[in-house]
């Protein structure tokens, strides 16, 4: 049975809910994020229930990721489940107006950060012939929408990277799943709107979005599913979200 989980981006949202869920069930936790105060608070709360190791790191910093993940104490080093969750969207402007710094931050975090963490942890999983990698993609990687430009493209990368990992790992007892959530109420929109909490609140008004706990429940289910079963991708939306019609511009100017 799996017993040790590493969660990137555990200081908020999906990652934090996942940490709480697995702590309640006695798993060893390795929790990462940049905000040290939040990591310390999580440590205080959860280490009463289960062994916890926290690592303050920015997943964009390749050297830091490798140094910190490779110096995890022996007690925690047999990582069964890696949840590549740290990520963000920044802005919703159309491509010709979007901020290039925002684009770079999303690419560095959602793509490069996820790749660094995977490349550090995966060899040990291969050595032990055991493990599960859960990547947090998004419906934005499957379906285009205005303003989704680079964010959606980073999540499309996560989807294809997840599938390609499966190809490379064929014959090994290592599973890979890409979870692709739709709208979920976390700090995601506060970050996307650069700290504008009023704008962020509007995203979730008068509907019922997914909660962080919904995603933690899915991660729990995946981590406890039989080892011969691989869920390749799992797209999940709230009942109150669905696709609209394709957009057609009707003021003919061509
Ligand atoms: P939150 O903003 O609540 O949480 C994001 C987490 O990622 C935080 O713990 C944050 O920690 C961490 N993080 C961000 N940047 C970095 C970095 N450079 N280095 C290390 N950690 C980082 O959002 P969610 O919980 O919603 O998002 C989690 C994942 O789910 C993301 O990948 C997001 O794209 C994806 N997602 C979210 C959806 C939603 O609607 N909420 C839907 C679909 C996918 P800290 O700031 O402390 O570093
Ligand atoms: C977050 C969901 O629809 O805002 O990945 O892109 S969405």
């Amino acid at each position: 049975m799996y017993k040790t989980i590493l969660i990137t981006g555990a200081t908020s949202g999906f990652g934090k809910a996942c940490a709480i869920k697995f702590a309640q069930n006695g798993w060893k936790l390795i929790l990462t994020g940049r905000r040290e105060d939040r990591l310390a608070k999580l440590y205080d709360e959860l280490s009463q229930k289960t062994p916890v190791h926290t690592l303050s790191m920015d997943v964009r910093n390749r050297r830091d990721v490798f140094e910190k993940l490779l110096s995890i104490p022996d007690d925690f080093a047999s990582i069964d489940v890696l949840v590549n969750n740290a990520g963000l969207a920044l802005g919703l402007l159309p491509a010709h107006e979007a901020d290039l710094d925002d684009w770079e931050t999303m690419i560095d975090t959602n793509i490069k950060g996820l790749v660094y963490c995977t490349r550090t942890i995966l060899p040990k999983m291969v050595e032990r012939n055991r493990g599960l990698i859960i990547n947090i993609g998004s419906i934005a990687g499957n379906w285009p929408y205005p303003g989704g430009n680079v964010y959606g493209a980073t999540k499309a990368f996560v989807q294809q990277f997840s599938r390609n990992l499966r190809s490379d790992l064929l014959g090994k007892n290592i599973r890979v799943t890409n979870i692709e959530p739709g709208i979920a109420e976390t700090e995601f929109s506060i970050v996307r709107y650069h700290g504008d909490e009023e704008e962020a609140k509007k995203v979730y008004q008068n509907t019922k979005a997914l909660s962080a706990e919904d995603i933690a429940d899915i991660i729990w289910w995946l981590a406890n599913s039989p080892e011969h079963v691989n869920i390749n991708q799992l797209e999940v939306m709230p009942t109150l979200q669905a696709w609209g019609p394709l957009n057609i511009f009707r003021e003919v100017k061509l």
Side-chain angles (χ1 to χ4, degrees), residues 8-15 32-35 57-60 85-89 109-110 136-139 151 155 180-188 191 204:
T8 68
T11 54
S12 162
F14 300 166
T32 83
R34 288 165 303 177
R35 286 171 286 183
M57 67 177 199
D58 185 329
V59 294
R60 293 171 295 175
N85 165 74
L88 79 176
T109 311
N110 302 353
I136 306 297
S138 168
I139 56 163
Y151 176 66
K155 293 302 187 177
E180 299 154 6
I183 182 175
E185 189 161 0
T186 62
E187 293 178 20
F188 177 84
V191 174
Y204 310 108

Side-chain angles (χ1 to χ4, degrees), residues 78-100:
S78 296
I79 296 162
D80 299 307
V81 180
L82 164 64
V83 183
N84 275 318
N85 165 74
L88 79 176
L90 288 170
L92 267 170
L93 289 170
H96 52 287
E97 293 171 12
D99 183 330
L100 204 49

Side-chain angles (χ1 to χ4, degrees), residues 174-241:
I174 298 171
R175 299 182 286 159
V176 184
T177 299
N178 188 37
I179 304 181
E180 299 154 6
I183 182 175
E185 189 161 0
T186 62
E187 293 178 20
F188 177 84
S189 292
I190 300 176
V191 174
R192 179 170 237 174
Y193 286 110
H194 298 282
D196 185 338
E197 297 197 14
E198 284 311 306
E199 269 314 300
K201 233 184 254 166
K202 289 183 199 159
V203 174
Y204 310 108
Q205 254 166 21
N206 302 324
T207 190
K208 190 161 175 60
L210 296 171
S211 66
E213 289 72 25
D214 292 329
I215 303 304
D217 285 348
I218 290 171
I219 293 171
W220 175 251
W221 171 71
L222 287 169
N224 289 283
S225 60
E227 284 184 56
H228 69 284
V229 176
N230 194 99
I231 308 293
N232 298 331
Q233 52 195 112
L234 196 160
E235 186 181 87
V236 50
M237 291 186 197
T239 311
L240 298 185
Q241 181 177 38

